[in-house]
Amino acid sequence: MAYSHFRNIEDFEDPRLVQIDSNLYGAAFFLMKLLPARFILEQAFERGELTAGSCICETSSGTFALALAMLTAQSGNGLIIVCDWAIDPKLQRRLLELGARLEIITDPQPQRGLQQARLDRLRLLLAENGSRFWPCQYDNPDNPLSYARVAAKLVERIGRVDCLVGTVGSGGSLCGTARYLRMLFPDLFVIGVDTMNSVLFGQPDASRLIRGLGGSMVPKSIDHTQVDEVHWLSAAETFRGTRDLHHRHALFMGPTSGAAFKVAAWWSGRHRDKNTVVLMPDEGHRYIDTAYDDDWLAANSPDWIDSRTECPATTTEPGSKFTSWTRFAWGRRARSEVVP
């Protein structure tokens, strides 16, 4: 097969399943984005949208860019990543080492910020001569479809799953896994974890400290009708959850995993007769100088060490202003049914 090289690191895709508590299980990924990245590229090859000589172009400043770079280093396809000035320097060096070309955007689009400016640059690159392919992780239906494999592994190893907790960025992992699990468990309770100042579930857009969580635009990959409840965490609460996960359970994961763990631990503690699974997207190595560095935290999120909120407040207005852990009963509704 033309895409056989994408399978060379397939063993890195599956999560380790770790029992954190009697009824709480962590699906801890080395790099979650490897799974949808490979699936998207393979499906594109089968449809003829991608060839051995194609250059892959994507906008990403995080783990999806790294996943694509790891895959294209094996396949020989060219890779152009459009990112912004805030990209982590270590990730930048690694992408370059893997052969990616970086287009770094410094000036935001006046109305829709850096995310739109990156998309504008990407579209110019796609229009250039030569075979170009855009994986488009945020809108590509193959993103959530790729998580059938994760759902199958959870059922095989755990059996009944009563609650699934995961952070929401592109929406693929949480919504895709939930969709497949509900074929077996229609009463599955799904919690989406977001952060303040993210438009995904109705907050007004503003700057955010946590990468890979939330967004300024709503991706098509998010199926809001899969979500029963939304929890918003502050950056300080997210960092506290990340450090607690490592300190108490020896799971060295990134901040998105820490946010999801904090919510999952609370829910599973209140529902001891229910099996809860928390999705943990990536390991902590990229964050050793940020989330795991006390000096960086003191400068960027000084209240993290005292942020020991034990339970969320409840709101009936997802667009209202709040500064600490808050939840909202989404009720498997479309976004248009909840957000004016």
Side-chain angles (χ1 to χ4, degrees):
M1 287 187 179
Y3 54 75
S4 60
H5 288 303
F6 293 140
R7 296 273 175 165
N8 289 358
I9 51 176
E10 185 179 3
D11 288 345
F12 287 86
E13 294 176 1
D14 288 337
R16 306 183 311 279
L17 295 184
V18 181
Q19 187 165 2
I20 298 172
D21 203 343
S22 61
N23 65 328
L24 176 59
Y25 302 84
F29 289 82
F30 161 72
L31 185 66
M32 175 189 277
K33 294 293 187 178
L34 278 171
L35 177 59
R38 178 184 60 78
F39 189 78
I40 286 170
L41 297 184
E42 288 187 352
Q43 294 302 304
F45 256 118
E46 288 195 349
R47 291 190 291 261
E49 300 167 358
L50 177 64
T51 68
S54 296
C55 180
I56 297 165
C57 304
E58 183 60 286
T59 170
S60 173
S61 290
T63 53
F64 193 70
L66 179 57
L68 288 175
M70 292 172 68
L71 292 167
T72 54
Q74 302 289 317
S75 71
N77 289 91
L79 176 64
I80 303 175
I81 295 294
V82 181
C83 52
D84 58 56
W85 61 268
I87 185 171
D88 175 66
K90 289 186 175 63
L91 174 60
Q92 182 176 344
R93 290 197 296 271
R94 190 168 179 190
L95 292 173
L96 293 171
E97 175 69 18
L98 288 165
R101 168 182 150 194
L102 302 186
E103 296 270 335
I104 301 177
I105 304 301
T106 57
D107 298 322
Q109 201 263 3
Q111 280 76 43
R112 305 185 74 176
L114 281 169
Q115 199 165 358
Q116 185 62 52
R118 283 162 46 177
L119 285 170
D120 292 344
R121 178 58 182 152
L122 178 68
R123 291 191 174 97
L124 289 175
L125 291 168
L126 292 169
E128 291 181 358
N129 291 333
S131 175
R132 301 286 171 96
F133 174 70
W134 179 19
C136 193
Q137 66 153 328
Y138 288 98
D139 294 342
N140 193 326
D142 287 333
N143 178 359
L145 286 175
S146 70
Y147 288 92
R149 173 171 169 168
V150 175
K153 181 166 186 174
L154 294 177
V155 174
E156 177 188 349
R157 291 283 302 278
I158 298 171
R160 189 188 78 254
V161 178
D162 300 295
C163 179
L164 180 69
V165 183
T167 50
V168 184
S170 74
S173 60
L174 180 69
C175 299
T177 306
R179 188 179 301 154
Y180 286 108
L181 285 176
R182 280 211 172 108
M183 293 179 182
L184 291 176
F185 313 116
D187 294 329
L188 175 75
F189 194 79
V190 176
I191 300 176
V193 181
D194 200 356
T195 189
M196 293 80 169
N197 303 330
S198 162
V199 305
L200 302 185
F201 292 93
Q203 282 278 289
D205 187 33
S207 63
R208 298 177 298 277
L209 185 58
I210 305 297
R211 287 272 176 166
L213 180 58
S216 299
M217 303 172 68
V218 182
K220 293 179 182 177
S221 296
I222 299 179
D223 181 358
H224 291 82
T225 65
Q226 294 290 337
V227 178
D228 291 284
E229 195 165 276
V230 181
H231 288 235
W232 293 271
L233 267 66
S234 68
E237 290 162 338
T238 295
F239 292 131
R240 180 75 262 171
T242 305
R243 298 291 289 269
D244 286 346
L245 179 62
H246 188 220
H247 179 68
R248 297 176 185 173
H249 303 287
L251 287 170
F252 184 55
M253 308 302 293
T256 52
S257 301
F261 160 72
K262 188 174 182 69
V263 174
W266 171 79
W267 198 92
S268 64
R270 288 165 52 96
H271 302 85
R272 285 294 182 184
D273 60 332
K274 308 289 186 182
N275 283 337
T276 302
V277 172
V278 53
L279 300 175
M280 299 179 176
D282 67 338
E283 295 183 335
H285 305 287
R286 287 181 55 226
Y287 315 99
I288 197 70
D289 293 329
T290 55
Y292 289 94
D293 186 283
D294 289 355
D295 292 336
W296 185 92
L297 288 171
N300 292 274
S301 184
D303 52 345
W304 79 275
I305 199 164
D306 297 318
S307 182
R308 300 184 181 275
T309 315
E310 297 297 330
C311 61
T314 301
T315 185
T316 57
E317 299 290 338
S320 59
K321 180 73 173 176
F322 35 82
T323 58
S324 61
W325 185 7
T326 303
R327 65 173 177 157
F328 172 74
W330 191 267
R332 304 191 192 183
R333 290 174 286 176
R335 189 177 185 277
S336 59
E337 295 180 78
V338 181
V339 181

